[in-house]
Structures are given as C-alpha cells and as structure tokens.
Amino acid sequence: MNSEPSKPEKRLHGVGVSPGIARGTVFVHRPDDEEPPVRQIPDSELPQEIARFETALIATRAQIVEMQQRISEAIGSKDAGIFDAHLLVVEDRTLIDEVMRTLEKERCNIEHAFLQVANRYAKTLSEIDDPYLRERALDIHDVTRRVIHNLLGKSTKVLSSLGVQHILVSHNLTPSDTAQLSRAFVLGFATDVGSKTSHTAIMARSLNIPAVVGLHNASQALSTGDHVLLDGYNGLVIVNPNDQTLWEYGELEDRKEKVAEKLAELRETEATTLDGRHVILSANIELPDDVEAVKKSGAEGIGLYRTEFFYLNRDELPTEDEQYENYLHVAEQARPFSVIIRTLDLGGDKFASALELPEELNPFLGWRAIRFCLERIDIFKVQLRAILRASISGNVRMMYPMISGLAELHRANDVLAECKVELRAEGKPFNEAMEVGAMIEIPSAALCADALAKEVKFFSIGTNDLIQYTIAVDRINERIAHLYEPTHPAIVRLLKMVVDAGHAHNLWVGVCGEMASEIALTPLLVGLGVDELSTGAALVPRVKRAVRSLETGVCLQLVEEVLRMDSSTEILAKCEEVARMHYPDLLS
Ligand code: PEP
Ligand code: MG
C-alpha cells in the first residue's frame, strides 16, 4: 500500500517579537477577501440595517462615479466606460430586492445578506458560457467588495473571527487588528512586515501570543491549511516540521518551562541588586484586562498604561464616565502599587476609527500624541478630567507622551489646571497631589531635560521612540531594523543626560520602552542610575532575576567604560559580557 510521502520541512526566517512556541494550522488573512461575520439581528434592528445598506450603496456609487471621472480625465472616457457596468450593479433593482428578501427571511446582518445574494449572482453568471456575462460576474465581485468595505467601515473591520484555533498569517497587522485577536483561537501570528518595537509586537507580547514578523513573503508562501510550528523566540516559521524538529522543540519547551518555574519563585521578591539597591520593576499594559498578568508577574505596579488602545476599534470616543470607571478599576486592581496613566498617544501606528485623522506621509513625525491633544482640547479634556477623577484612589500618576519641549509641557499643564478648576466648581473630587510626569522620547526633550525637570515630578524614558527619533530609524520598518540600535553611543549619552538632569532636580527617572526588558542591557540601565524599569508583564521575572544578580559597582564601571566607546557593537558586546558574567542561564 502506498502511503503519502510526508511533505518536506521548510523554514521561513523572520524576527521573533513575542516569545513562545505555537503549533497548528495556518489561516492566511487577506483583508480584501475577509468575509464579514454573521450576526442574527432582532426585528427592531431591521430598519437600521436597511438604512446602512442604502448609505453604503450611495457611498459606493459616489466612489465609482469619482473614479470614473478621474480615469476619464487621465486616460479618456472609453476606458472609464467599464465603470458603467459597476454602476449598473449598485443600481440593479432585482439584486437589491433579493437582498431585502434575504434580510427579512434570515434576520441577519446586512453584510451577510448582501454577500450571499451577490455571490450567488456572480456564480450563476460566471457559469454561463458567454464572455460578456462572465465579465459581469467580475464586476459584481468588484462592487461587492466595495459595498462590504463601506458597510464595515474602518471602524468595524473585524479580523477573521474563525471559531477554530489557528496560526494567523498576514501581510501586516495593525495594532488595532492585534488588539482584537482572541488568545483562545489565535495560537500565534506571522507577518511579512513589522518590527520588535511596533505596537503590534508590543500588543502580541501583552496578549502572550507567540509572534514572528518581518518574514517578507510568508503571506504568499503559506496557504490556509498548512501545518506549521512558529518559534517566537528565534523568529522562525517551520512548515511541515519533521519528527526531529518536533522532538527538539519539545525539549526546548521543557527547558523554558523549567526556567519559568524557577523565575516564578521570585514573584514575591523585589528587584534589588546584590548590594541592596532597589530598582522599581513595574509592567506596561495596553488594556485593562492586562492587569491580571501584571499581578501574576510580581511587578510593582503599572509603569505605563497605554490608554489609546481604549480608543481603538470602536465607533464612538469613550466618554468621561466610561474612562473614569476604566482608570479607577485599573488603579484599584493595581493596589498596593501605583499606575501611571499615559495620556492619549494616537497617531504613528495607532489610529482610532472614531476619529477621521488625515493620512500623513510621515505619521510618526506628524500629528501624534500630545500634538493632537493640544489641538483637540475637547478630546484631551475629557481624558484629563477622567484621570483626575480616578486619582481619588490615591495611587494614580499621569504622564504626557511625546513632549518635545517646555512650551508644550506648559500648555498641557495649563489644560490640566483648567480641568481641575472645572472639577472643583462641579464638586467632583480628585487628588490635588496627583503626580504628573513627562515621557522623554524625543531627542529635543532629552537635551532640555533640565528645563522640563522643573515642571514635573518624574520622567519616564520612552526608548522605543527615543531611538527612532535619535537615529532617524522608523521603528516599524523591517528593512532598516538593523540600524535600530539601543546601544548607539548617542542613545547611551542621551539616557545619561536625562537621568542626571532628573536626579539633579530630585525626580525619579524610569524607562518604559522595550529597552527596559532587554536583559543584556539591564547592567547598563542600572549603572546609569535608572530608578524604575517598566516592561511587558511576561518579561518582568527575567528582568527581576537580572537585577538581583547584579552589583551596582560593576554596573557603574560598565557605564564609565561604554561612555568612552564610539561604536554600538562595542557597547553591546561589553553589556553582554557583564550580563553573561552574572546570569548566563537567562541569556542562553
Ligand atoms: C516608547 O516610545 O518607548 C514608549 C514606551 O511609548 P510607545 O511605545 O507607546 O510609543
Ligand atoms: Mg512612545
């Protein structure tokens, strides 16, 4: 009897951005082919669905007409004629009536009703032996995609809601996409593009989903149904893993599990060096649910709450009350430690669907974070009032992202003062002594840190952006990822400048960028005098072990040496040497 020969193993190489091993069946997500999820709707929602359909048809018609005009101006009216056929589809009374009948009969969302009918029409036409009618089938497909896109809108575009476990493969995933992933079904994900400090990667680590990015063509090379093993430690996707590979990975998982068990024993201890210097070790969160993982990790509170994730994937901006409840809930959960709530950092790679932000050529250099808030004071104030009100819990601190200089900080503080006046007048309580800090993530802020220090209670260094802006390396562009060097001499010098300026003004200084979780760099950060490290929750135990294995003297000596070095690789090698000397087991 002939048994089917096993398929050969194939390895795709990328960048591991979220640790862990996942094994399973691939689902390739192609946004344009995405089927909208089916939803049953009550009778009361029927008129609303019909109205949505009408709006989507009108929008689709307008888009087609506009495109027709543009093409006609550019290449002549003959070629623009193909759009007449598209217009016929959106105006096809028989098709529209059929959609209405399906909606009434099935009581489902309009996207599903429309797609069923349109697909049926297209299929029937494509099966007829007539080239003209077959072309009409293509027209229907094209228009269908457009109508569905308009129906779903940006806001409700839902990533595959497959009810089975799978490894998600996509050309790209935005931070909003990633925030929607279900840990129960998505075992891991792999993308063609992306980098370690993108918010997509940060989100994957928060959700504890193993992930590999920067695979270049995984979304083409892989097909739905392929069997793969995804190695988030080493950035590998192994297609059809053979028995030897599966055995090796089984061993690796055992080893990792043992290390994790050992690290978990440190949960109740503090991150204190061998000679007794305590470094506050906190964790970053993106969503309120992440607090659970923070508590389990043994972190001392939340060093960065990226509140903008609360604004993503929704049609309306969150109200003041909703935000107040959310922040208060997080603060209460974080007790006895504190939470640092960062004000809205939209823009860059994070876009709220409820806001029609214009597309920009250089979004990371554009209308982002505090710049946006200082122009949309209406939106900013809603959040500031909510944070102030939540501060009655007594353990809330707040910080502004992307401060570039003193004027911006003054303006932000003025808006905060206005909110305080309003709340006092309304008799709404808040903590008058709530500490306010500034993120230092733009070189201009680092260089002016001594001036900024006079206006805040703490600094938190956002190394993800500080590195991107100092070396001019887009943090999400995998092509230039090799240039993104945390140990660039310029970065080391800027970090020293910020810590020294903060300490000279009696401020504490934290690091909440991903550099805080790089255990090879822990000796450097401890030696620079950083008071707090805030990392992804899953990485807290490793960083704690690293700090607990170090001596301040050795770290100070390291800083002295690296400040005399001019090369990133030399600095990195020196840091790794010290780290290897003190915790070789963690680095293997
Ligand atoms: C940073 O820039 O280092 C930071 C912590 O903020 P974010 O990653 O959200 O930009
Ligand atoms: Mg930042």
Side-chain angles (χ1 to χ4, degrees), residues 197 199 202 284 304 306 308 342 345 350 368 439 441 461-466 475 512-514:
T197 57
H199 286 100
I202 291 170
N284 299 343
L304 164 65
R306 291 183 164 97
E308 54 280 0
R342 171 175 76 187
D345 184 4
K350 290 169 292 194
R368 186 186 160 190
M439 284 193 73
E441 45 185 353
I461 308 176
T463 48
N464 302 338
D465 279 317
L466 188 63
R475 66 190 259 190
C512 63
E514 298 308 296

Side-chain angles (χ1 to χ4, degrees), residues 291-310:
V291 186
E292 202 60 46
V294 174
K295 299 211 85 166
K296 279 201 196 127
S297 72
E300 296 174 81
I302 296 163
L304 164 65
Y305 177 9
R306 291 183 164 97
T307 55
E308 54 280 0
F309 279 89
F310 194 42

Side-chain angles (χ1 to χ4, degrees), residues 211-287:
V212 179
V213 304
L215 285 154
H216 303 290
N217 68 343
S219 67
Q220 297 305 320
L222 295 170
S223 309
T224 295
D226 281 349
H227 291 286
V228 300
L229 183 149
L230 182 145
D231 171 0
Y233 298 107
N234 301 301
L236 280 177
V237 175
I238 306 175
V239 196
N240 307 317
N242 61 34
D243 290 346
Q244 173 67 18
T245 301
L246 290 172
W247 182 82
E248 283 169 12
Y249 272 95
E251 291 282 294
L252 175 69
E253 277 175 302
D254 284 350
R255 278 203 308 278
K256 293 280 180 195
E257 212 165 287
K258 286 201 184 99
V259 173
E261 276 166 17
K262 273 237 113 2
L263 289 176
E265 291 168 11
L266 298 178
R267 186 171 178 270
E268 302 301 329
T269 63
E270 287 188 339
T272 305
T273 59
L274 293 169
D275 55 314
R277 192 180 146 221
H278 176 213
V279 178
I280 298 168
L281 182 54
S282 26
N284 299 343
I285 66 165
E286 281 73 48
L287 299 167

Side-chain angles (χ1 to χ4, degrees), residues 310 319-332 386 389-390:
F310 194 42
T319 63
E320 179 184 317
D321 280 348
E322 209 181 325
Q323 292 190 58
Y324 159 68
E325 276 157 29
N326 173 329
Y327 304 149
L328 189 63
H329 173 71
V330 170
E332 270 161 7
R389 286 172 58 200

